[in-house]
Amino acid sequence: MKRPLIFSLALTLLASAVLAQDEIKIGEFASLTGGSASFGQSSHKGTQLAFDEINAAGGVLGKKLKLITEDDQSQAGQPATIVRKLIAQDKVVAVLGEVASSRSLEAAPICQQSKIPMISPASTNQKVTEIGDYIFRVCFIDPFQGSVMAKFAQSKGWKKVAVLTDVKSDYSIGLAQAFKEALLKGGGTVVKESSYSTGDKDFKAQLTSIKAAKPEAIFLPGYYGEVSLIGKQARLLGIKVPLLGGDGWVGDSLLKVAGNSLDGSFFSCHFSADDKSEAVQGFVKKYKAKYNNETPDDMAALGYDSVMILAAAIKKAGTTESEKLRDAIAATKAHAGITGSITLDEKRNATKPAVILGIGGGGFQFVQTVAP
Ligand code: PHE
């Protein structure tokens, strides 16, 4: 029997309405392409793995979670556009992202104004969660990370340190500041400060003036793309001292580009896939099975943790209604995450240990865990 067109149309509409009611939409903005694509691709993979697991177990509140992901191309301007679209058009109940602090800082005011909870997996700049009470993160912050590396330098006897900052990155500026303050407090000195901008390729002028200041170590609070080039050029200029950095060094191509020029250097981060704990090894196994035997990095683990915290909060709130969901996320206590136990403090930040890794032999070696 042929149904009248209007009847079929109504049926389709009804079916999609029923389907939509069976879903909870969550938005994600990530740098899947561009200068820091490694960040977005990793965090997205961890995020997707968590969605798959939750949905395979029946979803949350009897509904499936639907992830709507948009690529911000590692570009300023994109996060704001994307997050507006996710909220106004897709009607997401929460937003996940970003890794890079500058991009989280761009999107956060929009989420705050719209009262849509945003959880950054990995942005460590202090200002991110200060935007407002709807903005959360599941990682530690840069004042902690900076002091971890300053104390590490001190423990190694490196007192005279040069600092080379990316002035286009909120992360780099904030981490440089935190490191310098902690270094001075511990009796060290900053013998030279120099700067560059995201995307630069030639650092020889800055490195030449740094070399002249005879530092015992150089702190590079940048992202893996520029850091790998800085490492190479430093060695070409005959700079032999260790280079130190933070979580921005984590990235697929750090050693591919830097070769062995970063050997003997150290950086702080959130997670080590070599951690023998059951939680980490279970996660590594699941991740490898899904992603072609790839080993998860920090962003993957933090992306996964951000989803699990959001899902637990939706469950606890019993609703996706904005204010109640916000309160439930804020009440997160001792969540057993892959990156450690996560309790959100009154500033919506996580207090967690940092991991220090060393570079050598074509890979990263676990050095120590530093508790807050
Ligand atoms: N913490 C960095 C930032 O805030 C991003 C980052 C997190 C990079 C984790 C690598 C690993 O910009």
Side-chain angles (χ1 to χ4, degrees), residues 39 99-101 122-125 171 223 247-248 250 270 298-299 302:
F39 288 171
V99 169
S101 288
S123 289
T124 46
N125 183 276
Y171 160 75
Y223 290 157
D247 58 353
V250 177
H270 306 262
D298 304 50
M299 289 79 70
L302 289 165

Side-chain angles (χ1 to χ4, degrees), residues 136-181:
F136 301 88
R137 74 178 116 214
V138 300
C139 55
F140 54 64
I141 58 174
D142 287 331
F144 171 62
Q145 179 171 211
S147 88
V148 164
M149 287 316 284
K151 284 183 187 148
F152 180 72
Q154 206 182 341
S155 75
K156 290 278 194 183
W158 304 324
K159 287 203 149 135
K160 293 191 281 174
V161 185
V163 180
L164 179 53
T165 307
D166 179 350
V167 287
K168 285 278 161 60
S169 156
D170 291 289
Y171 160 75
S172 193
I173 295 168
L175 183 54
Q177 190 59 35
F179 175 84
K180 285 186 283 182
E181 276 169 24

Side-chain angles (χ1 to χ4, degrees), residues 147-303:
S147 88
V148 164
M149 287 316 284
K151 284 183 187 148
F152 180 72
Q154 206 182 341
S155 75
K156 290 278 194 183
W158 304 324
K159 287 203 149 135
K160 293 191 281 174
V161 185
V163 180
L164 179 53
T165 307
D166 179 350
V167 287
K168 285 278 161 60
S169 156
D170 291 289
Y171 160 75
S172 193
I173 295 168
L175 183 54
Q177 190 59 35
F179 175 84
K180 285 186 283 182
E181 276 169 24
L183 185 79
L184 298 182
K185 240 194 199 161
T189 45
V190 178
V191 291
K192 178 77 194 170
E193 278 189 68
S194 205
S195 65
Y196 64 92
S197 297
T198 309
D200 283 356
K201 303 262 182 279
D202 185 348
F203 306 90
K204 291 192 209 74
Q206 294 94 319
L207 288 167
T208 303
S209 66
I210 285 177
K211 188 181 178 192
K214 296 196 169 45
E216 292 164 330
I218 304 172
F219 188 58
L220 297 176
Y223 290 157
Y224 66 93
E226 289 82 10
V227 166
S228 54
L229 295 174
I230 293 170
K232 267 183 109 160
Q233 292 171 23
R235 299 316 179 210
L236 285 174
L237 289 171
I239 297 176
K240 297 203 173 67
V241 298
L243 308 178
L244 305 175
D247 58 353
W249 284 29
V250 177
D252 230 9
S253 58
L254 181 79
L255 297 185
K256 277 189 205 141
V257 175
N260 60 5
S261 57
L262 291 172
D263 283 9
S265 297
F266 299 89
F267 63 99
S268 53
C269 60
H270 306 262
F271 155 91
S272 164
D274 295 333
D275 186 327
K276 292 285 167 283
S277 75
E278 232 174 84
V280 170
Q281 286 316 311
F283 174 69
V284 170
K285 202 168 152 201
K286 286 186 294 198
Y287 192 92
K288 283 188 161 177
K290 184 169 167 68
Y291 299 114
N292 209 7
N293 213 27
E294 209 178 288
T295 304
D297 59 19
D298 304 50
M299 289 79 70
L302 289 165

